[in-house]
Amino acid sequence: MKKSKPSDAPEPRSTLEGSPAHLLHRVLQIALDIYNETAGEGALTQRQFAVLQALDGSEGLSQTDLVKITGIDRSTLADLVARMIAKELLVRERSATDARANLVQLAPAGKTALDEMQPRVLQADEKILSLLSPPKRDSFVKLLRKITAAREVELSGETPVRKAKADKKTDKKKKKHKLSAKKLKKLPMPALSDGASEAVAGQDLVHAPVPEQA
């Protein structure tokens, strides 16, 4: 006879429900929908905003630098930058240190568009995170950063083990520093001299008698 499954046994997940790739794609769709709703019609796209944000405060970046910072692939970024230059959001100039290199910079119109979009983007981010309970929001963002950082390490050729050892060494130093600080807090107060102890305890000082004048 076949054994019946317990009534409280969890139902098996479908392939899609257990697929990180599928779930992350769904989350991306949700995030972009919220971004577009919050930004409004005719506003900067999420990728355009990312490029402007990466360039803000810099004296210009190469397209290779922009690829690293934004994560947008090289061919897509090249087309995106060309269209943003045509819209006068960006300008391209020769590097002052390398005549063979071109740097992409914010144009005045790009800076204005960026400043106008930042409050809307913050609002969109808050709306996305509001789908989670407050205690889970920081953990969610940290996990996204961790996945991104791990992939960047993999693509750079650096072994994750080496990076993990470096992180572990840093954690040990921090832990040692915390322990030292904790020990210092627990150290007993140094004993006062007998005279000082009596003065503190009695809240009075004993003075030597003043000799009478003749």
PDB file of all heavy atoms in Angstrom, residues 24 28 44 71 76 78 85 91 131 155 159 186 212 214:
ATOM      1  N   LEU A  24      13.379  37.390  -9.933  1.00  0.00           N
ATOM      2  CA  LEU A  24      14.072  38.674 -10.060  1.00  0.00           C
ATOM      3  C   LEU A  24      13.570  39.446 -11.279  1.00  0.00           C
ATOM      4  O   LEU A  24      13.467  40.678 -11.252  1.00  0.00           O
ATOM      5  CB  LEU A  24      15.581  38.457 -10.155  1.00  0.00           C
ATOM      6  CG  LEU A  24      16.276  38.105  -8.840  1.00  0.00           C
ATOM      7  CD1 LEU A  24      17.732  37.713  -9.090  1.00  0.00           C
ATOM      8  CD2 LEU A  24      16.223  39.278  -7.864  1.00  0.00           C
ATOM      9  N   LEU A  28      11.886  43.048 -11.208  1.00  0.00           N
ATOM     10  CA  LEU A  28      12.357  44.137 -12.067  1.00  0.00           C
ATOM     11  C   LEU A  28      11.188  44.775 -12.812  1.00  0.00           C
ATOM     12  O   LEU A  28      11.113  46.010 -12.920  1.00  0.00           O
ATOM     13  CB  LEU A  28      13.385  43.610 -13.070  1.00  0.00           C
ATOM     14  CG  LEU A  28      13.878  44.603 -14.130  1.00  0.00           C
ATOM     15  CD1 LEU A  28      14.557  45.794 -13.468  1.00  0.00           C
ATOM     16  CD2 LEU A  28      14.813  43.931 -15.119  1.00  0.00           C
ATOM     17  N   LEU A  44      12.714  61.129 -17.668  1.00  0.00           N
ATOM     18  CA  LEU A  44      13.895  60.298 -17.932  1.00  0.00           C
ATOM     19  C   LEU A  44      13.573  58.837 -17.686  1.00  0.00           C
ATOM     20  O   LEU A  44      12.847  58.501 -16.746  1.00  0.00           O
ATOM     21  CB  LEU A  44      15.044  60.711 -17.016  1.00  0.00           C
ATOM     22  CG  LEU A  44      15.635  62.112 -17.180  1.00  0.00           C
ATOM     23  CD1 LEU A  44      16.607  62.395 -16.040  1.00  0.00           C
ATOM     24  CD2 LEU A  44      16.343  62.257 -18.522  1.00  0.00           C
ATOM     25  N   GLY A  71      26.377  49.311 -14.858  1.00  0.00           N
ATOM     26  CA  GLY A  71      26.041  47.924 -15.167  1.00  0.00           C
ATOM     27  C   GLY A  71      25.353  47.754 -16.512  1.00  0.00           C
ATOM     28  O   GLY A  71      24.971  46.639 -16.881  1.00  0.00           O
ATOM     29  N   THR A  76      24.597  48.836 -25.523  1.00  0.00           N
ATOM     30  CA  THR A  76      23.404  49.588 -25.123  1.00  0.00           C
ATOM     31  C   THR A  76      23.786  50.973 -24.615  1.00  0.00           C
ATOM     32  O   THR A  76      23.129  51.965 -24.919  1.00  0.00           O
ATOM     33  CB  THR A  76      22.637  48.831 -24.025  1.00  0.00           C
ATOM     34  OG1 THR A  76      22.270  47.538 -24.508  1.00  0.00           O
ATOM     35  CG2 THR A  76      21.389  49.581 -23.604  1.00  0.00           C
ATOM     36  N   ALA A  78      26.468  52.746 -25.394  1.00  0.00           N
ATOM     37  CA  ALA A  78      26.937  53.591 -26.493  1.00  0.00           C
ATOM     38  C   ALA A  78      25.758  54.230 -27.224  1.00  0.00           C
ATOM     39  O   ALA A  78      25.775  55.435 -27.533  1.00  0.00           O
ATOM     40  CB  ALA A  78      27.777  52.767 -27.461  1.00  0.00           C
ATOM     41  N   ILE A  85      23.181  62.691 -25.980  1.00  0.00           N
ATOM     42  CA  ILE A  85      23.941  63.818 -26.532  1.00  0.00           C
ATOM     43  C   ILE A  85      23.072  64.581 -27.536  1.00  0.00           C
ATOM     44  O   ILE A  85      23.062  65.817 -27.569  1.00  0.00           O
ATOM     45  CB  ILE A  85      25.243  63.321 -27.183  1.00  0.00           C
ATOM     46  CG1 ILE A  85      26.223  62.834 -26.100  1.00  0.00           C
ATOM     47  CG2 ILE A  85      25.884  64.427 -28.025  1.00  0.00           C
ATOM     48  CD1 ILE A  85      27.479  62.191 -26.656  1.00  0.00           C
ATOM     49  N   VAL A  91      27.363  65.936 -23.034  1.00  0.00           N
ATOM     50  CA  VAL A  91      28.327  66.413 -24.030  1.00  0.00           C
ATOM     51  C   VAL A  91      29.527  65.480 -23.999  1.00  0.00           C
ATOM     52  O   VAL A  91      29.827  64.867 -22.966  1.00  0.00           O
ATOM     53  CB  VAL A  91      28.785  67.863 -23.751  1.00  0.00           C
ATOM     54  CG1 VAL A  91      27.633  68.827 -23.966  1.00  0.00           C
ATOM     55  CG2 VAL A  91      29.344  67.992 -22.348  1.00  0.00           C
ATOM     56  N   LEU A 131       6.441  47.561  -0.234  1.00  0.00           N
ATOM     57  CA  LEU A 131       5.839  46.246  -0.460  1.00  0.00           C
ATOM     58  C   LEU A 131       6.357  45.217   0.548  1.00  0.00           C
ATOM     59  O   LEU A 131       5.805  44.119   0.656  1.00  0.00           O
ATOM     60  CB  LEU A 131       6.133  45.761  -1.886  1.00  0.00           C
ATOM     61  CG  LEU A 131       5.587  46.664  -3.014  1.00  0.00           C
ATOM     62  CD1 LEU A 131       6.073  46.173  -4.366  1.00  0.00           C
ATOM     63  CD2 LEU A 131       4.065  46.704  -2.975  1.00  0.00           C
ATOM     64  N   LEU A 155      33.335  38.434 -12.502  1.00  0.00           N
ATOM     65  CA  LEU A 155      33.692  38.929 -13.831  1.00  0.00           C
ATOM     66  C   LEU A 155      35.084  39.551 -13.854  1.00  0.00           C
ATOM     67  O   LEU A 155      35.745  39.545 -14.887  1.00  0.00           O
ATOM     68  CB  LEU A 155      32.660  39.955 -14.295  1.00  0.00           C
ATOM     69  CG  LEU A 155      31.257  39.417 -14.584  1.00  0.00           C
ATOM     70  CD1 LEU A 155      30.313  40.548 -14.939  1.00  0.00           C
ATOM     71  CD2 LEU A 155      31.283  38.377 -15.691  1.00  0.00           C
ATOM     72  N   THR A 159      39.305  35.890  -7.225  1.00  0.00           N
ATOM     73  CA  THR A 159      38.665  34.729  -6.607  1.00  0.00           C
ATOM     74  C   THR A 159      37.862  35.166  -5.395  1.00  0.00           C
ATOM     75  O   THR A 159      38.347  35.919  -4.556  1.00  0.00           O
ATOM     76  CB  THR A 159      39.714  33.683  -6.160  1.00  0.00           C
ATOM     77  OG1 THR A 159      40.621  34.318  -5.253  1.00  0.00           O
ATOM     78  CG2 THR A 159      40.468  33.138  -7.336  1.00  0.00           C
ATOM     79  N   LYS A 186      35.075  47.839  31.487  1.00  0.00           N
ATOM     80  CA  LYS A 186      34.912  47.008  32.674  1.00  0.00           C
ATOM     81  C   LYS A 186      36.044  47.162  33.684  1.00  0.00           C
ATOM     82  O   LYS A 186      36.000  46.603  34.768  1.00  0.00           O
ATOM     83  CB  LYS A 186      34.799  45.535  32.263  1.00  0.00           C
ATOM     84  CG  LYS A 186      33.489  45.215  31.557  1.00  0.00           C
ATOM     85  CD  LYS A 186      33.372  43.724  31.301  1.00  0.00           C
ATOM     86  CE  LYS A 186      32.030  43.377  30.677  1.00  0.00           C
ATOM     87  NZ  LYS A 186      31.898  41.930  30.463  1.00  0.00           N
ATOM     88  N   GLU A 212      48.556  80.006  66.138  1.00  0.00           N
ATOM     89  CA  GLU A 212      48.096  81.311  66.647  1.00  0.00           C
ATOM     90  C   GLU A 212      49.241  82.314  66.526  1.00  0.00           C
ATOM     91  O   GLU A 212      50.401  82.011  66.724  1.00  0.00           O
ATOM     92  CB  GLU A 212      47.682  81.176  68.105  1.00  0.00           C
ATOM     93  CG  GLU A 212      46.469  80.299  68.293  1.00  0.00           C
ATOM     94  CD  GLU A 212      46.058  80.233  69.756  1.00  0.00           C
ATOM     95  OE1 GLU A 212      46.769  80.857  70.598  1.00  0.00           O
ATOM     96  OE2 GLU A 212      45.082  79.552  70.062  1.00  0.00           O
ATOM     97  N   ALA A 214      51.307  85.475  67.687  1.00  0.00           N
ATOM     98  CA  ALA A 214      51.712  86.022  68.992  1.00  0.00           C
ATOM     99  C   ALA A 214      51.123  87.408  69.179  1.00  0.00           C
ATOM    100  O   ALA A 214      51.046  88.165  68.234  1.00  0.00           O
ATOM    101  CB  ALA A 214      53.236  86.052  69.075  1.00  0.00           C
TER     102      ALA A 214
END
